[in-house]
Amino acid sequence: MDELPFYANSDEKQDSMSGFIETESELVHYEILNSLRYHYKLSNSQTFKILSHFKSIDTLEKASCEELQIIANCGHIDFQNFKRIMPTSYEGVGLVSYFDKTYRVGLRDLVDAPIFLWHRGELPNQQSISIVGTRKSDQKSDLIAFNASAFASKKNLAVISGLALGIDTKAHEGCLTTNGKTVAILASDVRFPTPQQNLDLSYQILETGGC
């Protein structure tokens, strides 16, 4: 239990991709990352390839179609007069980029790691465990998930799940019964948690210091 994936200090573990990208580069500024992902519609992996190859916006703007195609399979995109667009901010919603120290180490290990994480509440600064499962759970599996989550929470582990019906719900509820911190990874906009049946549960998670 010394090294769980959701949280680790930034000086304890470094991801392989960030080692090729200068974190002081202008290319990792929010308005650049946001433009690459959502204005120019590059995938996460394409964005990383661009960031690791080019050292400035100036060099990116001068890149030929052939060069862009070879580097990131995006030769059809014209980066001349690059548009810088800041991410839209929403009240009560936090934003973390891949290059921030608070970005979760375990996510950096993903092949297609997300450039941005939007969140409500506080990202737990502690080790964690993930408990997930079927939406069509039975009474026995519900009880196992609930008790496992409560036990983990008593050991000061944050419980990570998905807010879905079934096992995910019991994982969050088990943690909350011990006043622990639990994190819901959503498949929806963080401003509008789904499913609707768990809307009250999402509020409880935030009220107890979760995310």
Side-chain angles (χ1 to χ4, degrees), residues 46-63:
Q46 285 177 311
T47 301
F48 283 124
K49 290 175 182 177
I50 291 293
L51 297 176
S52 62
H53 182 82
F54 296 99
K55 304 304 179 185
S56 67
I57 289 297
D58 183 58
T59 56
L60 177 58
E61 288 180 325
K62 294 177 181 178

Side-chain angles (χ1 to χ4, degrees), residues 88-94 118 189 191:
T88 303
S89 60
Y90 302 98
E91 183 178 358
V93 177
W118 282 264
D189 188 320
R191 296 172 297 164

Side-chain angles (χ1 to χ4, degrees), residues 5-211:
F6 191 74
Y7 176 81
N9 292 329
S10 59
D11 57 351
E12 291 177 351
K13 184 179 180 182
Q14 294 295 329
D15 62 283
S16 57
M17 181 58 70
S18 66
F20 296 103
I21 302 171
E22 296 180 7
T23 56
E24 299 301 321
S25 168
E26 66 171 325
L27 293 178
V28 304
H29 292 175
Y30 275 32
E31 67 270 21
I32 305 299
L33 297 175
N34 185 63
S35 293
L36 289 172
R37 279 291 285 118
Y38 301 107
H39 178 71
Y40 294 103
K41 301 187 183 304
L42 298 184
S43 67
N44 290 311
S45 59
Q46 285 177 311
T47 301
F48 283 124
K49 290 175 182 177
I50 291 293
L51 297 176
S52 62
H53 182 82
F54 296 99
K55 304 304 179 185
S56 67
I57 289 297
D58 183 58
T59 56
L60 177 58
E61 288 180 325
K62 294 177 181 178
S64 66
C65 294
E66 292 78 8
E67 185 179 11
L68 291 168
Q69 185 64 26
I70 292 171
I71 293 164
N73 193 30
C74 60
H76 60 288
I77 298 177
D78 182 7
F79 288 113
Q80 292 186 28
N81 301 313
F82 188 91
K83 296 184 182 296
R84 300 168 183 248
I85 305 172
M86 282 294 293
T88 303
S89 60
Y90 302 98
E91 183 178 358
V93 177
L95 180 61
V96 176
S97 92
Y98 180 92
F99 301 97
D100 292 334
K101 291 182 178 180
T102 50
Y103 190 95
R104 289 324 189 225
V105 171
L107 294 177
R108 283 192 174 127
D109 293 335
L110 297 176
V111 174
D112 195 29
I115 296 292
F116 287 119
L117 296 177
W118 282 264
H119 66 92
R120 295 173 64 196
E122 298 297 324
L123 294 170
N125 189 12
Q126 65 198 81
Q127 293 182 320
S128 63
I129 186 169
S130 179
I131 301 176
V132 295
T134 180
R135 291 173 172 79
K136 298 179 180 180
S137 55
D138 56 25
Q139 187 174 6
K140 181 179 180 180
S141 57
D142 282 348
L143 183 60
I144 291 173
F146 185 94
N147 289 339
S149 178
F151 177 80
S153 177
K154 290 177 181 178
K155 297 297 183 181
N156 198 34
L157 294 174
V159 175
I160 316 301
S161 199
L163 201 66
L165 301 178
I167 294 300
D168 289 19
T169 296
K170 294 304 175 182
H172 291 304
E173 289 177 347
C175 182
L176 292 174
T177 59
T178 65
N179 295 317
K181 293 183 178 180
T182 181
V183 176
I185 307 297
L186 303 180
S188 61
D189 188 320
V190 295
R191 296 172 297 164
F192 312 109
T194 58
Q196 282 292 313
Q197 297 96 312
N198 277 346
L199 190 58
D200 286 343
L201 178 59
S202 73
Y203 295 148
Q204 293 177 41
I205 291 172
L206 294 175
E207 289 169 359
T208 55
C211 179

